[in-house]
C-alpha cells in the first residue's frame, strides 16, 4: 500500500467514525431536551378558557437552535370528536436559541369546546429533526363538564317573549271584536 492509498484509507475511516458519532449524537439528541408542565390536571366547564405553561430545558452542551414546541389535544373517549384548532388557534411556538442548561417557558391558552376527558401535551423537536421522534412532556388531564343552562345564548327572553306577545295580541284582537 502506498502513501496515497493509506491516506485515503485513513480519511475513509475518519469519515465513517464521524458519521457514526453524528448518528449517535442524533439519537441521543432526543434526550437533550425535557418538557415539563405547570400542572398535571385541571377541571373546567364547556366554553370556559384555561391556561397552563410548559417549560423546555436544554440539557445539552451546546445551544439549541430552531426548536419548535407544538400543542396537542387528545380525546380520551371514543365518542368525542377533537379538532385541536378549535381548542387553540396558537398551537405552535418557535423558540429562540436556548443556551445549555437554560429553559424557555411557553404559556398555552385554550378554550374547552367539547365536554369529556382530554389529555393535552406538548411535543418539542428541532427544526432539523428529520426522522427523529419529538420529545414530549407529560400530559395535562383536562376534565370538561357540560354546561347545562336554561338561558343558553340569551334565548330565554325571546323564547318566552314571542309566544307571550302573540298571546296578548290574539287576546287584544278577540276583545276588540267582542265589543
Amino acid at each position: 500500500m502506498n502513501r496515497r492509498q493509506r491516506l485515503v484509507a485513513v480519511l475513509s475511516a475518519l469519515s465513517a467514525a464521524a458519521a457514526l458519532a453524528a448518528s449517535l449524537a442524533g439519537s441521543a439528541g432526543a434526550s437533550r431536551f425535557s418538557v415539563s408542565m405547570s400542572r398535571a390536571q385541571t377541571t373546567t366547564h364547556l366554553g370556559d378558557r384555561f391556561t397552563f405553561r410548559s417549560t423546555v430545558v436544554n440539557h445539552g452542551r451546546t445551544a439549541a437552535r430552531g426548536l419548535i414546541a407544538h400543542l396537542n389535544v387528545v380525546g380520551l373517549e371514543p365518542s368525542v370528536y377533537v379538532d385541536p384548532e378549535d381548542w387553540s388557534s396558537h398551537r405552535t411556538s418557535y423558540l429562540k436559541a436556548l443556551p445549555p442548561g437554560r429553559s424557555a417557558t411557553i404559556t398555552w391558552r385554550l378554550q374547552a369546546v367539547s365536554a369529556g376527558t382530554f389529555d393535552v401535551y406538548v411535543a418539542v423537536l428541532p427544526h432539523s429533526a428529520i426522522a427523529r421522534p419529538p420529545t414530549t412532556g407529560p400530559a395535562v388531564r383536562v376534565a370538561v363538564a357540560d354546561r347545562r343552562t336554561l338561558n343558553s345564548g340569551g334565548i330565554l327572553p325571546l323564547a318566552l317573549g314571542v309566544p307571550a306577545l302573540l298571546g296578548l295580541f290574539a287576546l287584544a284582537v278577540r276583545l276588540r271584536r267582542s265589543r
Side-chain angles (χ1 to χ4, degrees):
M1 210 187 232
N2 67 25
R3 193 172 192 185
R4 181 182 171 137
Q5 290 172 329
R6 276 186 263 160
L7 181 60
V8 169
V10 167
L11 289 175
S12 294
L14 286 174
S15 175
L20 179 62
S23 173
L24 291 174
S27 63
S31 63
R32 230 181 111 175
F33 311 104
S34 66
V35 181
S36 62
M37 305 302 231
S38 61
R39 63 173 78 180
Q41 60 188 4
T42 190
T43 302
T44 189
H45 291 91
L46 188 63
D48 286 351
R49 297 182 187 279
F50 62 98
T51 62
F52 69 90
R53 288 177 303 285
S54 63
T55 301
V56 179
V57 180
N58 179 3
H59 299 289
R61 294 184 211 174
T62 60
R65 299 183 193 297
L67 293 181
I68 303 168
H70 188 74
L71 179 73
N72 299 284
V73 181
V74 177
L76 300 178
E77 299 163 14
S79 61
V80 177
Y81 172 75
V82 175
D83 185 352
E85 290 178 358
D86 292 341
W87 288 72
S88 177
S89 58
H90 302 287
R91 295 181 27 245
T92 303
S93 182
Y94 298 88
L95 305 180
K96 294 180 181 177
L98 198 57
R102 301 296 297 253
S103 64
T105 300
I106 306 149
T107 300
W108 303 98
R109 291 171 175 75
L110 295 95
Q111 182 172 9
V113 296
S114 300
T117 306
F118 305 87
D119 274 354
V120 179
Y121 67 95
V122 175
V124 176
L125 65 154
H127 181 268
S128 61
I130 298 172
R132 282 192 230 150
T135 299
T136 58
V140 175
R141 178 67 42 98
V142 180
V144 180
D146 198 1
R147 178 173 280 165
R148 305 268 180 201
T149 180
L150 183 60
N151 190 19
S152 178
I155 190 110
L156 188 61
L158 186 63
L160 295 177
V162 169
L165 285 174
L166 289 174
L168 286 174
F169 179 72
L171 182 62
V173 168
R174 187 175 214 186
L175 287 174
R176 189 170 197 178
R177 286 186 182 170
S178 66
R179 286 188 189 181

